[in-house]
Amino acid sequence: MTDSTTDSTTRQSWWRGAAIYQVYVRSFADGDGDGTGDLAGVRSRLPYLADLGIDAIWFNPWYPSPMDDGGYDVADYRDIEPVFGSLAEAEKLIEEAHTLGIKIIIDIVPNHCSDSHPWFAAALAAGPGSPERERFWFRRGRGDGGELPPNNWQSRFGGPAWTRVTEPDGSPGEWFLHLYSSRQPDLNWTNPEVAEEFEDILRFWFNRGVDGFRIDVADGLVKADDLPDAGDGPLPYSDLDGVHEIYRTWRRIADGYPDQRVFVGEMWLPDPERFAMYLRPDELHSAFNFDFLSCPWDASRLRAVVDATLAAHAPVDAPATWVLSNHDVTRHVTRYGRADTSFSFADRQHLAPTDRELGLRRARAAALLTLALPGAVYIYQGEELGLSEVEDLPDSLRQDPVFERTAGADIGRDGCRVPLPWSGDAPPFGFNAAGTAPWLPQPPSWSSVTVAAQTDDPDSMLELYRRALRLRADDPALGDGTLGWLSGQSAGVLAFTRSETFACVVNLSAAPVELPAHREVLLASRPVEQTLPPDTTVWLRI
Ligand code: GLC
């Protein structure tokens, strides 16, 4: 393929401007009444998603898993977690979604598997020096008796990234690497057997019709051979050439299928230029932009992030992606209602006071900002309902390994994973049949934010998302493309055009501001008259 064909093909690719809805299966909708979401629940709610106006669904891992890390601990990559349903049901779901015009992206977790995966059991049993151990990173410990971890790497969930095993003969033995929990051993991507296994897994799901993969920890698969201590430089487990090679191969597999398939990477890299180095139109097509998510509600900071993001993506011809929330971070209604509106994993500001009304107002404004930016947008289930983080879950019910590995210092991510409220006045709010408790308890106050309560209420968050997604889909200027900043705006205002006829203006200042000249207000996050109130976004026909 020549450069120019690559260019024109990717320019028309559906994912460049798609609105993608993230389904955390466990918490979306429960079809069989056991209090845990499942594929039957998703199937029953597909019309809701079609009506919302999204282009694709991204499913968090739906594979068999002990659920130590909410499914990111995969025990079998070619099947469905029995609590969620069956493979036959997943096939039906994919087909039904396609009939409704919705594409399906599924999560692939190549960096690590579960300690319940048969490979890990085989590695433990086979002992040091065996080919079974070569699929993982087993090493002798440091210190005379091998009693210290092999290097200084820290788990992203807290504590050392190494755990020592007991050998089959009962002696204290080697250590294995896990960048996440000790129940998620890292796979060794320098071993061709690992690469071949995942190529086969991709084919398995492409053959079942999935339209793409969200790649978990996309930058972290290839570790520096000698596993050096981590210092100030790039992470010794973020090798660029190594991952390019993997995604080039994956792309070739995808090219064997008639329709376009997308690969979206999950990477928490602080530097936008380094981030963009992982992207290429014929490999990893796009990745989540977490700088935007982490950015405080501040006009100049947000503008700087938007500019840096677009500038970093342009040379690699990748569409930017915009994300406000996901299953790992504090819901943005809660973040935006705090004194400090930024997000970082190091300081999740648990239980810092938050003003829900203020957070909601900003979240409405942020939704219209996000949906107007050039590129693809991800919507995390429940953000269209304006859900807050549930911060007061009883400790005994917390399931996230982060809570345990940090001895409670970080309460973890359960608060953004509480099952969705669909209807009714009391929990379980139609998530499952009354009489069974959902796997995490819903706040009684959610009676006012159910899908049923918000439907047809013109002032609701849900109707704002519905209208915005419809307008976005109908206006060819929105989605993929470029933006031009409008000059002459007051401080605290973000104003840009997407075409000669569309402008978006966000007022992040404390005072009302004049609207630029326009023909029509297409949509506003709050009522506007002559001026634009604080914390409000408006879409204008100019
Ligand atoms: C990603 C996922 C997160 C998971 C981690 C380990 O960051 O989004 O939920 O815990 O990878 O798989």
Side-chain angles (χ1 to χ4, degrees):
M1 208 184 259
T2 65
D3 280 356
S4 61
T5 33
T6 306
D7 206 34
S8 62
T9 324
T10 49
R11 285 241 160 270
Q12 294 152 12
S13 302
W14 61 266
W15 58 80
R16 293 191 65 100
I20 300 162
Y21 187 93
Q22 178 188 352
V23 168
Y24 192 74
V25 183
R26 235 175 158 187
S27 303
F28 185 70
D30 174 19
D32 67 2
D34 63 357
T36 297
D38 50 34
L39 300 190
V42 179
R43 288 175 64 199
S44 73
R45 301 291 182 180
L46 282 176
Y48 167 77
L49 294 177
D51 185 50
L52 186 59
I54 49 118
D55 302 303
I57 304 173
W58 150 37
F59 284 97
N60 286 105
W62 57 11
Y63 314 105
S65 163
M67 294 286 158
D68 181 58
D69 182 19
Y72 283 93
D73 43 327
V74 180
D76 177 356
Y77 291 84
R78 295 183 187 78
D79 205 350
I80 295 292
E81 161 61 36
V83 173
F84 295 163
S86 64
L87 193 53
E89 209 163 8
E91 287 170 359
K92 278 197 211 129
L93 192 165
I94 295 167
E95 205 180 300
E96 288 161 359
H98 284 166
T99 309
L100 291 168
I102 297 174
K103 309 233 184 238
I104 301 290
I105 297 173
I106 61 172
D107 226 303
I108 182 98
V109 190
N111 181 67
H112 46 263
C113 59
S114 159
D115 61 354
S116 306
H117 191 285
W119 274 10
F120 193 69
L124 287 185
S130 62
E132 286 84 352
R133 285 210 175 173
E134 277 306 302
R135 295 165 175 156
F136 299 92
W137 292 99
F138 279 87
R139 289 289 181 276
R140 262 187 63 78
R142 294 205 258 210
D144 290 345
E147 70 283 3
L148 298 171
N151 69 22
N152 70 357
W153 297 5
Q154 293 294 298
S155 153
R156 290 178 179 176
F157 287 165
W162 294 91
T163 292
R164 195 172 195 187
V165 302
T166 303
E167 298 302 354
D169 66 4
S171 64
E174 293 188 321
W175 298 69
F176 69 91
L177 175 68
H178 52 87
L179 291 184
Y180 292 88
S181 99
S182 53
R183 303 207 46 199
Q184 294 164 294
D186 275 45
L187 291 159
N188 173 5
W189 274 84
T190 61
N191 181 343
E193 215 187 319
V194 171
E196 279 157 26
E197 173 71 357
F198 276 88
E199 287 158 26
D200 192 64
I201 293 165
L202 293 191
R203 286 191 202 95
F204 179 90
W205 288 104
F206 281 150
N207 288 340
R208 280 160 183 79
V210 310
D211 302 283
F213 287 93
R214 176 266 192 196
I215 306 167
D216 192 54
V217 199
D219 59 313
L221 311 190
V222 183
K223 280 80 182 171
D225 273 350
D226 49 345
L227 305 178
D229 278 338
D232 295 335
L235 297 170
Y237 42 82
S238 221
D239 179 84
L240 201 51
D241 292 338
V243 293
H244 276 307
E245 202 181 313
I246 295 168
Y247 301 137
R248 211 156 33 236
T249 309
W250 287 18
R251 177 73 240 156
R252 277 200 288 270
I253 293 173
D255 282 345
Y257 291 84
D259 308 316
Q260 295 173 334
R261 319 273 163 148
V262 68
F263 294 105
V264 188
E266 186 236 17
M267 312 189 288
W268 285 88
L269 290 169
D271 166 9
E273 275 158 30
R274 170 98 191 158
F275 175 92
M277 287 163 89
Y278 289 88
L279 303 178
R280 291 195 185 155
D282 52 352
E283 292 176 15
L284 187 58
H285 301 107
S286 79
F288 297 109
N289 172 18
F290 293 127
D291 290 347
F292 183 70
L293 181 157
S294 313
C295 186
W297 185 244
D298 173 279
S300 58
R301 302 273 298 270
L302 278 167
R303 179 169 169 162
V305 167
V306 170
D307 281 337
T309 302
L310 296 177
H313 280 72
V316 288
D317 196 25
T321 63
W322 309 101
V323 186
L324 289 168
S325 278
N326 66 30
H327 65 292
D328 290 328
V329 306
T330 312
R331 283 192 179 272
H332 58 275
V333 168
T334 301
R335 293 187 337 248
Y336 287 156
R338 286 177 175 157
D340 176 353
T341 51
S342 66
F343 175 81
S344 84
F345 278 111
D347 177 14
R348 292 159 59 88
Q349 305 185 58
H350 298 301
L351 307 172
T354 180
D355 174 343
R356 176 163 161 89
E357 286 313 309
L358 177 65
L360 201 55
R361 199 152 64 232
R362 291 177 170 166
R364 292 175 65 92
L368 293 197
L369 163 64
T370 309
L371 290 165
L373 288 171
V377 57
Y378 286 81
I379 298 162
Y380 176 49
Q381 65 178 41
E383 82 172 60
E384 81 279 21
L385 304 177
L387 298 188
S388 296
E389 184 82 0
V390 183
E391 298 202 281
D392 56 356
L393 293 167
D395 285 352
S396 60
L397 295 179
R398 293 191 187 282
Q399 312 242 348
D400 186 357
V402 169
F403 177 70
E404 201 189 310
R405 286 188 66 87
T406 61
D410 186 331
I411 59 173
R413 303 163 293 178
D414 293 309
C416 63
R417 301 175 176 180
V418 173
L420 291 195
W422 291 92
S423 58
D425 297 328
F429 297 120
F431 170 74
N432 52 262
T436 313
W439 72 279
L440 284 174
Q442 303 153 309
S445 64
W446 277 8
S447 56
S448 60
V449 293
T450 62
V451 170
Q454 295 197 44
T455 296
D456 296 333
D457 171 358
D459 299 329
S460 71
M461 184 69 117
L462 178 57
E463 294 300 344
L464 181 74
Y465 268 84
R466 283 183 174 145
R467 285 203 298 271
L469 284 162
R470 230 165 277 150
L471 284 168
R472 188 178 183 275
D474 291 345
D475 190 333
L478 294 180
D480 192 23
T482 53
L483 67 68
W485 294 107
L486 281 174
S487 57
Q489 301 301 311
S490 333
V493 173
L494 291 174
F496 57 89
T497 58
R498 293 298 314 276
S499 68
E500 282 175 4
T501 57
F502 180 94
C504 172
V505 187
V506 194
N507 180 8
L508 296 98
S509 75
V513 294
E514 293 294 318
L515 285 175
H518 59 276
R519 288 196 285 131
E520 187 192 348
V521 171
L522 294 172
L523 188 58
S525 65
R526 272 209 292 166
V528 292
E529 299 289 340
Q530 295 316 74
T531 57
L532 186 62
D535 294 320
T536 308
T537 300
V538 70
W539 286 3
L540 300 174
R541 187 58 76 214
I542 50 171

